[in-house]
Amino acid sequence: MWHNQAILTDTEFVLHGSVGELQRLAAETATFCREHSLGDEVEFDLNLVLEELFTNAVSHGECAGMEKAVQVRLQLLNDGVHVEYADRGRPFDPLTAPEPNLDASLEERRVGGLGVHLVRQIMRDLEYRRAGDWNRITMRRPC
């Protein structure tokens, strides 16, 4: 997808399957954005997307309590921030999840699906693949 672009900068980190790691996730994202003078809106969007994917993996994907459950790679390229998110949860392709019915009343809405909807609205060039025991999602946040 973006392999022939020059990587301006790159950071990677690993998270354990605990909601306590959300603070570190936010801190790593904030550090990356500050180091590269990315605005608050970019930081907010990246944090929201990564928090949503991570929380889903821990809460629904069987990553709770797992050591080294999630890997995140952030790359600054000339067309935005490219994100590689991987978790060792049960197979789940967020790109095939049904769209939530945003016009339905709260009583009629199906539980869940809003987080995945936000990821699809914020990010571009989303791709999913299952590689061994890993769900791998690549995506781009334009800057």
Side-chain angles (χ1 to χ4, degrees), residues 30-77:
T31 298
F32 178 84
C33 290
R34 267 189 241 109
E35 285 178 353
H36 306 296
S37 303
L38 299 173
D40 291 343
E41 185 179 333
V42 173
E43 180 182 338
F44 179 85
D45 286 353
L46 290 173
N47 195 51
L48 179 66
V49 164
L50 291 171
E51 181 179 309
E52 198 56 50
L53 293 171
F54 178 77
T55 301
N56 282 348
V58 171
S59 299
H60 308 294
E62 301 172 2
C63 285
M66 188 183 290
E67 293 288 313
K68 300 178 182 176
V70 171
Q71 297 174 341
V72 177
R73 183 177 191 190
L74 302 172
Q75 296 177 307
L76 181 61
L77 280 72

Side-chain angles (χ1 to χ4, degrees), residues 90-104:
R90 63 180 172 75
F92 174 68
D93 180 353
L95 306 182
T96 62
E99 289 286 336
N101 182 355
L102 301 176
D103 296 325

Side-chain angles (χ1 to χ4, degrees), residues 99-134:
E99 289 286 336
N101 182 355
L102 301 176
D103 296 325
S105 69
L106 288 177
E107 296 80 28
E108 296 173 319
R109 282 190 196 171
R110 193 175 58 88
V111 174
L114 287 177
V116 170
H117 174 73
L118 285 172
V119 171
R120 292 191 294 217
Q121 293 301 304
I122 293 169
M123 303 301 281
R124 301 289 173 264
D125 306 326
L126 280 89
E127 293 182 6
Y128 168 86
R129 75 181 196 284
R130 182 77 180 179
D133 294 335
W134 292 86

Side-chain angles (χ1 to χ4, degrees), residues 16-35:
H16 303 299
S18 164
V19 292
E21 291 279 73
L22 284 171
Q23 187 174 3
R24 195 159 69 83
L25 174 62
E28 293 279 2
T29 303
T31 298
F32 178 84
C33 290
R34 267 189 241 109
E35 285 178 353

